[in-house]
Amino acid sequence: MEALQEVAHIAGRPGLFRIIKPGRAGVIVESMDGKGKREMVSVNAKVSVLKDISIYSEEFNKSTPLSEIFTTMREKHGEKVDFDTKNASQDEFFTFFGEIMPDFDQERVYSSDIKKIIQWYNLLSTSMPELFEESKEEEPEVKEEAPKAKKKAKSKE
């Protein structure tokens, strides 16, 4: 999921943004909400690239990258996660996310984080479906050669 390097979340703003081009004064981003609005984001804004985000695990100093979470969500829920993020309780969020990542740290991962992950997954699934296509590395084909028929040497008599 190298394409996550091009997608960012900006603190204080809803949704995700595609990084178009970095500049001296900041970063040019395009909203992924379907409007495609481009704007310059200041250097002072807190921009988090999705490739660098990971979820805390119960094991000390261990976390799971967001790309692995998205892959598991794709395997378990398909193209869209049907989960009512508006009316769900904290326990429902934790139960749902426990199916995706059983060892997440419930003290450091909040229900609001899980809500964002679900919303991001659904947004990326619709706006960047190529992100979830399995990268098929082309391996060189090794053809087994059929044993060559030995030619009988004709003896001169």
Side-chain angles (χ1 to χ4, degrees):
M1 289 196 174
E2 286 299 316
L4 285 180
Q5 190 68 34
E6 303 170 3
V7 181
H9 171 351
I10 302 170
R13 295 192 181 178
L16 294 175
F17 298 85
R18 185 176 311 222
I19 299 171
I20 303 299
K21 184 177 180 182
R24 279 191 247 170
V27 178
I28 299 172
V29 295
E30 180 179 51
S31 67
M32 294 180 71
D33 60 1
K35 297 177 184 174
K37 180 182 173 188
R38 290 186 179 193
E39 61 184 288
M40 177 68 110
V41 178
S42 165
V43 178
N44 298 331
K46 186 173 181 194
V47 178
S48 302
V49 177
L50 264 55
K51 180 84 174 160
D52 299 334
I53 296 175
S54 59
I55 308 301
Y56 292 115
S57 173
E58 288 180 341
E59 192 175 322
F60 182 71
N61 276 344
K62 187 173 181 218
S63 60
T64 303
L66 194 57
S67 60
E68 288 182 27
I69 300 293
F70 285 160
T71 302
T72 306
M73 289 175 85
R74 186 62 152 209
E75 291 169 0
K76 293 188 182 252
H77 296 281
E79 292 182 13
K80 184 176 182 189
V81 174
D82 290 324
F83 186 82
D84 185 13
T85 56
K86 293 182 181 180
N87 299 318
S89 68
Q90 180 176 348
D91 291 336
E92 291 172 323
F93 276 112
F94 286 170
T95 302
F96 169 81
F97 202 67
E99 296 172 7
I100 306 297
M101 184 183 165
D103 64 335
F104 79 99
D105 189 346
Q106 293 186 12
E107 292 180 8
R108 295 191 288 176
V109 178
Y110 302 109
S111 57
S112 59
D113 298 330
I114 298 169
K115 181 179 179 179
K116 281 182 193 176
I117 290 170
I118 294 169
Q119 290 172 340
W120 292 351
Y121 174 80
N122 287 336
L123 177 63
L124 289 171
S125 187
T126 56
S127 64
M128 291 181 75
E130 68 276 4
L131 181 69
F132 299 99
E133 292 175 4
E134 292 183 27
S135 58
K136 297 177 182 175
E137 295 178 15
E138 295 191 22
E139 297 176 15
E141 291 183 22
V142 178
K143 293 183 181 179
E144 291 185 27
E145 294 183 21
K148 295 181 182 177
K150 295 181 181 179
K151 294 183 182 178
K152 293 184 180 180
K154 293 182 183 178
S155 58
K156 294 183 182 177
E157 294 181 14

Short mmCIF file of all heavy atoms in Angstrom, two decimals, residues 1 53-55 64-75 97 100-104 117-118 121 132:
data_model
loop_
_atom_site.label_atom_id
_atom_site.label_comp_id
_atom_site.label_asym_id
_atom_site.label_seq_id
_atom_site.Cartn_x
_atom_site.Cartn_y
_atom_site.Cartn_z
N MET A 1 0.82 -1.19 0.00
CA MET A 1 0.00 0.00 0.00
C MET A 1 0.86 1.25 0.00
O MET A 1 0.72 2.11 0.86
CB MET A 1 -0.93 0.00 1.20
CG MET A 1 -2.02 -0.99 1.15
SD MET A 1 -3.26 -0.56 2.36
CE MET A 1 -4.47 -1.76 1.96
N ILE A 53 1.05 6.21 10.03
CA ILE A 53 0.15 6.01 11.17
C ILE A 53 0.09 4.53 11.52
O ILE A 53 0.01 3.68 10.64
CB ILE A 53 -1.26 6.54 10.86
CG1 ILE A 53 -1.20 8.07 10.64
CG2 ILE A 53 -2.23 6.19 11.98
CD1 ILE A 53 -2.51 8.67 10.22
N SER A 54 0.14 4.25 12.82
CA SER A 54 0.00 2.87 13.28
C SER A 54 -0.84 2.86 14.56
O SER A 54 -1.01 3.89 15.21
CB SER A 54 1.36 2.23 13.51
OG SER A 54 2.10 2.95 14.44
N ILE A 55 -1.35 1.68 14.89
CA ILE A 55 -2.26 1.53 16.03
C ILE A 55 -1.53 0.81 17.16
O ILE A 55 -0.88 -0.22 16.94
CB ILE A 55 -3.51 0.71 15.62
CG1 ILE A 55 -4.16 1.30 14.37
CG2 ILE A 55 -4.50 0.62 16.77
CD1 ILE A 55 -4.61 2.74 14.52
N THR A 64 0.71 -1.70 15.05
CA THR A 64 0.38 -2.27 13.75
C THR A 64 0.14 -1.14 12.77
O THR A 64 -0.66 -0.24 13.04
CB THR A 64 -0.89 -3.14 13.86
OG1 THR A 64 -0.66 -4.15 14.85
CG2 THR A 64 -1.23 -3.79 12.55
N PRO A 65 0.82 -1.16 11.61
CA PRO A 65 0.62 -0.11 10.62
C PRO A 65 -0.82 -0.07 10.11
O PRO A 65 -1.49 -1.10 10.02
CB PRO A 65 1.58 -0.49 9.49
CG PRO A 65 2.51 -1.48 10.06
CD PRO A 65 1.82 -2.13 11.20
N LEU A 66 -1.25 1.11 9.76
CA LEU A 66 -2.61 1.31 9.26
C LEU A 66 -2.86 0.50 7.99
O LEU A 66 -3.96 0.02 7.76
CB LEU A 66 -2.86 2.80 9.01
CG LEU A 66 -4.28 3.26 8.81
CD1 LEU A 66 -5.15 2.87 10.00
CD2 LEU A 66 -4.34 4.75 8.60
N SER A 67 -1.83 0.31 7.19
CA SER A 67 -1.99 -0.46 5.96
C SER A 67 -2.41 -1.91 6.26
O SER A 67 -3.24 -2.48 5.55
CB SER A 67 -0.70 -0.45 5.13
OG SER A 67 0.36 -1.00 5.87
N GLU A 68 -1.86 -2.49 7.32
CA GLU A 68 -2.25 -3.85 7.70
C GLU A 68 -3.68 -3.88 8.22
O GLU A 68 -4.42 -4.84 7.97
CB GLU A 68 -1.30 -4.40 8.76
CG GLU A 68 0.07 -4.74 8.24
CD GLU A 68 0.97 -5.33 9.32
OE1 GLU A 68 0.45 -5.94 10.28
OE2 GLU A 68 2.20 -5.18 9.18
N ILE A 69 -4.08 -2.84 8.93
CA ILE A 69 -5.45 -2.74 9.43
C ILE A 69 -6.42 -2.69 8.25
O ILE A 69 -7.42 -3.40 8.22
CB ILE A 69 -5.63 -1.49 10.33
CG1 ILE A 69 -4.69 -1.53 11.53
CG2 ILE A 69 -7.08 -1.32 10.74
CD1 ILE A 69 -4.98 -2.61 12.53
N PHE A 70 -6.10 -1.86 7.25
CA PHE A 70 -6.95 -1.75 6.07
C PHE A 70 -7.03 -3.07 5.31
O PHE A 70 -8.08 -3.45 4.82
CB PHE A 70 -6.44 -0.64 5.14
CG PHE A 70 -6.73 0.76 5.64
CD1 PHE A 70 -6.00 1.82 5.16
CD2 PHE A 70 -7.73 1.03 6.56
CE1 PHE A 70 -6.24 3.12 5.59
CE2 PHE A 70 -7.99 2.31 7.00
CZ PHE A 70 -7.24 3.36 6.51
N THR A 71 -5.92 -3.77 5.21
CA THR A 71 -5.91 -5.07 4.52
C THR A 71 -6.81 -6.07 5.23
O THR A 71 -7.59 -6.78 4.59
CB THR A 71 -4.47 -5.62 4.44
OG1 THR A 71 -3.65 -4.67 3.76
CG2 THR A 71 -4.43 -6.94 3.70
N THR A 72 -6.73 -6.10 6.55
CA THR A 72 -7.59 -7.00 7.33
C THR A 72 -9.05 -6.61 7.20
O THR A 72 -9.94 -7.47 7.08
CB THR A 72 -7.18 -6.99 8.82
OG1 THR A 72 -5.79 -7.27 8.91
CG2 THR A 72 -7.97 -8.00 9.61
N MET A 73 -9.33 -5.31 7.18
CA MET A 73 -10.71 -4.85 7.01
C MET A 73 -11.24 -5.28 5.65
O MET A 73 -12.41 -5.67 5.53
CB MET A 73 -10.79 -3.33 7.17
CG MET A 73 -10.57 -2.86 8.59
SD MET A 73 -10.51 -1.07 8.75
CE MET A 73 -12.25 -0.70 8.88
N ARG A 74 -10.40 -5.22 4.64
CA ARG A 74 -10.80 -5.62 3.29
C ARG A 74 -11.15 -7.11 3.25
O ARG A 74 -12.13 -7.51 2.64
CB ARG A 74 -9.68 -5.30 2.31
CG ARG A 74 -10.01 -5.51 0.86
CD ARG A 74 -11.15 -4.61 0.44
NE ARG A 74 -11.05 -4.30 -0.96
CZ ARG A 74 -11.49 -3.20 -1.50
NH1 ARG A 74 -12.04 -2.28 -0.76
NH2 ARG A 74 -11.41 -3.00 -2.78
N GLU A 75 -10.31 -7.91 3.92
CA GLU A 75 -10.54 -9.36 3.95
C GLU A 75 -11.82 -9.72 4.69
O GLU A 75 -12.56 -10.60 4.28
CB GLU A 75 -9.36 -10.07 4.62
CG GLU A 75 -8.09 -10.02 3.81
CD GLU A 75 -6.86 -10.50 4.60
OE1 GLU A 75 -7.01 -10.87 5.79
OE2 GLU A 75 -5.77 -10.49 4.03
N PHE A 97 -13.56 -3.45 16.49
CA PHE A 97 -12.13 -3.34 16.18
C PHE A 97 -11.35 -4.53 16.72
O PHE A 97 -10.30 -4.87 16.19
CB PHE A 97 -11.56 -2.02 16.73
CG PHE A 97 -10.31 -1.61 16.04
CD1 PHE A 97 -10.32 -1.24 14.70
CD2 PHE A 97 -9.09 -1.59 16.70
CE1 PHE A 97 -9.17 -0.86 14.05
CE2 PHE A 97 -7.93 -1.22 16.06
CZ PHE A 97 -7.97 -0.84 14.73
N ILE A 100 -10.83 -6.96 14.07
CA ILE A 100 -9.83 -6.54 13.08
C ILE A 100 -8.43 -6.70 13.66
O ILE A 100 -7.54 -7.25 13.02
CB ILE A 100 -10.05 -5.06 12.66
CG1 ILE A 100 -11.48 -4.81 12.19
CG2 ILE A 100 -9.03 -4.63 11.63
CD1 ILE A 100 -11.89 -5.56 10.96
N MET A 101 -8.24 -6.18 14.87
CA MET A 101 -6.93 -6.22 15.53
C MET A 101 -7.15 -6.66 16.97
O MET A 101 -7.39 -5.82 17.85
CB MET A 101 -6.26 -4.85 15.47
CG MET A 101 -4.88 -4.80 16.04
SD MET A 101 -4.22 -3.12 16.00
CE MET A 101 -2.84 -3.30 17.09
N PRO A 102 -7.08 -7.96 17.23
CA PRO A 102 -7.40 -8.46 18.58
C PRO A 102 -6.51 -7.93 19.70
O PRO A 102 -6.96 -7.82 20.83
CB PRO A 102 -7.21 -9.98 18.45
CG PRO A 102 -7.22 -10.27 16.99
CD PRO A 102 -6.77 -9.03 16.30
N ASP A 103 -5.28 -7.54 19.40
CA ASP A 103 -4.36 -7.12 20.47
C ASP A 103 -4.19 -5.60 20.57
O ASP A 103 -3.19 -5.13 21.07
CB ASP A 103 -3.00 -7.79 20.27
CG ASP A 103 -2.31 -7.36 19.00
OD1 ASP A 103 -3.00 -6.94 18.04
OD2 ASP A 103 -1.07 -7.43 18.95
N PHE A 104 -5.21 -4.81 20.13
CA PHE A 104 -5.06 -3.36 20.25
C PHE A 104 -5.18 -2.93 21.70
O PHE A 104 -5.86 -3.55 22.50
CB PHE A 104 -6.04 -2.62 19.34
CG PHE A 104 -7.45 -2.52 19.86
CD1 PHE A 104 -7.87 -1.35 20.48
CD2 PHE A 104 -8.35 -3.56 19.70
CE1 PHE A 104 -9.17 -1.24 20.96
CE2 PHE A 104 -9.63 -3.46 20.17
CZ PHE A 104 -10.05 -2.30 20.81
N ILE A 117 -10.83 5.52 11.52
CA ILE A 117 -10.28 4.44 10.70
C ILE A 117 -11.37 3.85 9.80
O ILE A 117 -11.14 3.61 8.62
CB ILE A 117 -9.64 3.34 11.59
CG1 ILE A 117 -8.37 3.88 12.23
CG2 ILE A 117 -9.34 2.09 10.78
CD1 ILE A 117 -7.79 2.99 13.31
N ILE A 118 -12.57 3.65 10.34
CA ILE A 118 -13.68 3.12 9.54
C ILE A 118 -14.04 4.11 8.43
O ILE A 118 -14.22 3.72 7.27
CB ILE A 118 -14.90 2.82 10.44
CG1 ILE A 118 -14.57 1.68 11.40
CG2 ILE A 118 -16.13 2.48 9.59
CD1 ILE A 118 -15.61 1.48 12.50
N TYR A 121 -11.30 4.17 5.79
CA TYR A 121 -11.34 2.95 4.98
C TYR A 121 -12.42 3.06 3.91
O TYR A 121 -12.18 2.78 2.74
CB TYR A 121 -11.57 1.72 5.85
CG TYR A 121 -11.76 0.48 5.02
CD1 TYR A 121 -10.67 -0.19 4.48
CD2 TYR A 121 -13.03 -0.01 4.75
CE1 TYR A 121 -10.85 -1.32 3.70
CE2 TYR A 121 -13.21 -1.13 3.96
CZ TYR A 121 -12.12 -1.78 3.44
OH TYR A 121 -12.29 -2.89 2.65
N PHE A 132 -6.28 -1.10 -2.88
CA PHE A 132 -6.53 -2.41 -2.30
C PHE A 132 -6.31 -3.57 -3.27
O PHE A 132 -6.47 -4.71 -2.90
CB PHE A 132 -7.96 -2.47 -1.76
CG PHE A 132 -8.20 -1.46 -0.68
CD1 PHE A 132 -8.83 -0.26 -0.95
CD2 PHE A 132 -7.76 -1.70 0.61
CE1 PHE A 132 -9.04 0.68 0.04
CE2 PHE A 132 -7.97 -0.76 1.61
CZ PHE A 132 -8.60 0.43 1.33
#
